[in-house]
Amino acid sequence: MNVLMISAELAPFAKTGGLADAVTGLSDALAARGHDVRVLLPKYEHLPPTDLDAKPLATTAGGLVLELGAPRGRRARGGGERKAGTPTVYLLDLEELTPGPIYYGDDRDAGRFIRLAAAAVDLPATLDWRPDVLHCHDWHSALVPLTQRTRARADPVPTVLTLHNIGYQGLFGDAVLTLYGADAIRAFVAPDALAGGTINFLRAGLRAADAVTTVSPTYAHEIRTPAFGMGLEDVLNARPDDVVGILNGVDYDVWGPQKDPFLDFHYDATNVTPKSSLKAALAERVGLPPDPTSPLLGVVSRLTSQKGIDLIAAALPEILATTRGRFVCLGSGDAILATGLRALADANPQRVAFVEGYDEGLAHSIFAGADIALVPSRYEPCGLTQMYALRYGTIPVVRATGGLADTIQHFDPATGVGNGSVFRDADIGGLLWGIRSALAWFDDPPAWARLIANAMAADFSWRKQAEPYEALYRSLAP
Ligand code: ADP
């Protein structure tokens, strides 16, 4: 099949979170299964990467489209030539909207993604290439189905819209449609998505896409309720049978202790001894004194209330006072959350390290070197970090929500079943209970060894998770 992915992010080229990993993982897996997969994303200021070329390919309504000179992902895996079985990457040159970060946080984002939709709809014809599906990801490409309608095609391409996080909807004053040349879509946008002088990109896309998916079965249920639907539950309940939850996968070549290019030592489930060397190296790297026997708790996260970072900061004093636990956090985002974590690190330099910023290599080192990974999210569409942690034998402590509930089972030392610690309530007491459970198992070496074995045995490979997408695409064929 021919698949055009339209996304704001694509690992490793443009990444702020799990969206980038998910689109790359799915695209790679589908391409490896023999499909012709092409991915269109904006050419941000930092693209193309210095070691790759991008050559002009076609002029579209959205602007000039460039083709990236080598398959993405190769770089992280040590170089290589383009070959069959890897996705093609297209970059839309946004001219005056190119400078700056991946998200501006203002109306220019509307401009970027209005133009991305126009390019997505135009590009196939200019390439004489017919996609079987236009696969849109999050609000950024939610206008693709509408934009396609403005082109009055006799044979529209089926559209899929995948919700990676319904908390981000693309809400703008509707003047952006005029400003960025998209007035023609007004006639096709559902009235509830174009109301009160605003346009809600995601609402518009949910009304218009042929199929809607999200990234875990539990989140697919949750978002039909007011507590999780972020005001869009009515649209989802209006199409109850076709909001499908398909769990994200993991690329274990990138995220696994056997081959991880960011690690100095490698290991697998048959011998996890090198993990202790990685733990020591991690402690040294983030400025904690050597202490091989204390449990090291790690966090790699965007700093937002969604991720329960405030709960971590609030629970930490108690953990420090009553356990031997030490803590390393890598994160960027909300300045107030960062200040709180910084204060904890300053007050407890022997036991708490906080690295503010975005650092792909350090993220890998934390998943490998920590004993425990904290993911106390208030909501979590899928969550990748708990799945990454599992593979490195790092035990997740998670809240029972969304994809966290679908991937982590609370360990029972009596039966030896389970792969992590799962708590119910998004409050300090809940998180403390989850952490204390994990620390108790840590102090029981046979139980801990079993838990690590269970964690590393979990298989969320994209190879498996791509199949339901393939089936969905086929079901949409005219
Ligand atoms: P979300 O997409 O909501 O941020 P996910 O768990 O799906 O959450 O994906 C998070 C991804 O972003 C993971 O690959 C994680 O390693 C990465 N990540 C988050 N924050 C950072 C950071 N500060 N530095 C490096 N990687 C990060």
Side-chain angles (χ1 to χ4, degrees):
M1 300 180 88
N2 295 340
V3 182
L4 181 61
M5 302 278 182
I6 306 107
S7 177
E9 299 190 23
L10 184 72
F13 302 127
K15 172 170 169 177
T16 71
L19 172 64
D21 287 356
V23 176
T24 292
L26 175 59
S27 301
D28 281 356
L30 289 168
R33 294 168 71 86
H35 304 294
D36 183 350
V37 183
R38 311 188 186 191
V39 189
L40 174 67
L41 73 157
K43 179 180 131 35
Y44 300 108
E45 183 173 16
H46 68 281
L47 294 178
T50 46
D51 56 345
L52 296 179
D53 291 328
K55 64 174 196 305
L57 181 73
T59 302
T60 70
L64 182 66
V65 173
L66 311 158
E67 181 175 350
L68 205 61
R72 19 124 267 61
R74 291 299 109 185
R75 213 160 47 116
R77 279 166 246 167
E81 290 294 283
R82 169 186 296 286
K83 58 177 199 272
T86 54
T88 303
V89 178
Y90 298 134
L91 304 175
L92 175 66
D93 189 340
L94 291 158
E95 300 145 53
E96 75 284 1
L97 290 173
T98 286
I102 294 177
Y103 303 116
Y104 290 120
D106 60 36
D107 282 357
R108 290 172 295 172
D109 289 329
R112 276 179 168 171
F113 297 116
I114 282 170
R115 287 181 47 186
L116 190 70
V121 171
D122 257 27
L123 182 64
T126 66
L127 298 180
D128 200 18
W129 177 73
R130 158 96 197 175
D132 296 297
V133 61
L134 297 173
H135 192 156
C136 312
H137 297 271
D138 273 353
W139 74 265
H140 320 105
S141 46
L143 292 189
V144 168
L146 286 311
T147 306
Q148 180 169 235
R149 287 183 195 177
T150 66
R151 299 292 199 275
R153 296 178 53 126
D155 54 347
V157 180
T159 51
V160 175
L161 175 57
T162 295
L163 300 166
H164 296 262
N165 189 335
I166 207 166
Y168 300 87
Q169 300 180 1
L171 185 66
F172 299 95
D174 70 354
V176 297
L177 296 176
T178 312
L179 185 62
Y180 295 106
D183 271 323
I185 72 165
R186 286 177 189 269
F188 300 92
V189 175
D192 58 319
L194 190 57
T198 65
I199 171 132
N200 183 316
F201 279 42
L202 195 55
R203 182 175 275 275
L206 287 171
R207 291 279 191 209
D210 294 310
V212 175
T213 75
T214 187
V215 288
S216 71
T218 295
Y219 195 59
H221 288 291
E222 288 174 338
I223 55 181
R224 292 162 198 271
T225 67
F228 292 90
M230 304 283 178
L232 295 183
E233 55 275 11
D234 62 323
V235 204
L236 299 168
N237 284 315
R239 45 186 317 170
D241 295 329
D242 61 3
V243 181
V244 187
I246 304 172
L247 203 65
N248 280 336
V250 176
D251 183 339
Y252 288 123
D253 288 341
V254 178
W255 295 100
Q258 281 171 282
K259 295 187 188 166
D260 191 323
F262 291 105
L263 300 185
D264 291 333
F265 308 97
H266 293 98
Y267 60 100
D268 62 24
T270 63
N271 178 13
V272 296
T273 314
K275 190 168 165 54
S276 50
S277 305
L278 293 164
K279 179 176 174 177
L282 170 62
E284 189 183 343
R285 176 168 175 183
V286 298
L288 293 175
D291 182 355
T293 61
S294 291
L296 182 59
L297 288 72
V299 175
V300 177
S301 184
R302 294 186 292 116
L303 303 181
T304 70
S305 83
Q306 178 206 332
K307 299 289 184 180
I309 302 299
D310 54 314
L311 299 179
I312 294 174
L316 214 61
E318 172 99 14
I319 293 296
L320 295 173
T322 58
T323 77
R324 294 184 303 135
R326 301 203 299 167
F327 185 85
V328 52
C329 176
L330 166 65
S332 66
D334 185 282
I336 293 172
L337 293 173
T339 303
L341 292 167
R342 167 78 46 222
L344 283 162
D346 289 346
N348 304 278
Q350 311 283 309
R351 297 183 60 191
V352 180
F354 172 51
V355 179
E356 188 174 4
Y358 188 92
D359 185 333
E360 193 74 20
L362 182 56
H364 286 249
S365 297
I366 292 174
F367 292 126
D371 297 297
I372 291 167
L374 302 182
V375 195
S377 303
R378 290 195 163 78
Y379 74 91
E380 193 57 76
C382 176
L384 294 171
T385 61
Q386 82 282 10
M387 296 198 271
Y388 297 160
L390 286 177
R391 197 54 158 201
Y392 293 87
T394 300
I395 304 308
V397 174
V398 307
R399 175 158 180 264
T401 185
L404 300 171
D406 290 330
T407 53
I408 309 300
Q409 293 81 43
H410 193 73
F411 183 61
D412 178 354
T415 61
V417 174
N419 58 7
S421 176
V422 183
F423 63 94
R424 193 189 55 199
D425 297 324
D427 56 28
I428 300 171
L431 177 57
L432 284 173
W433 182 87
I435 294 175
R436 288 217 172 92
S437 301
L439 293 179
W441 302 325
F442 182 85
D443 285 333
D444 175 357
W448 195 248
R450 179 60 188 258
L451 196 40
I452 289 178
N454 292 354
M456 296 183 77
D459 181 2
F460 297 106
S461 161
W462 265 117
R463 268 190 294 283
K464 286 202 297 199
Q465 307 306 121
E467 279 177 40
Y469 281 103
E470 205 177 88
L472 174 68
Y473 297 163
R474 290 202 197 288
S475 76
L476 295 172

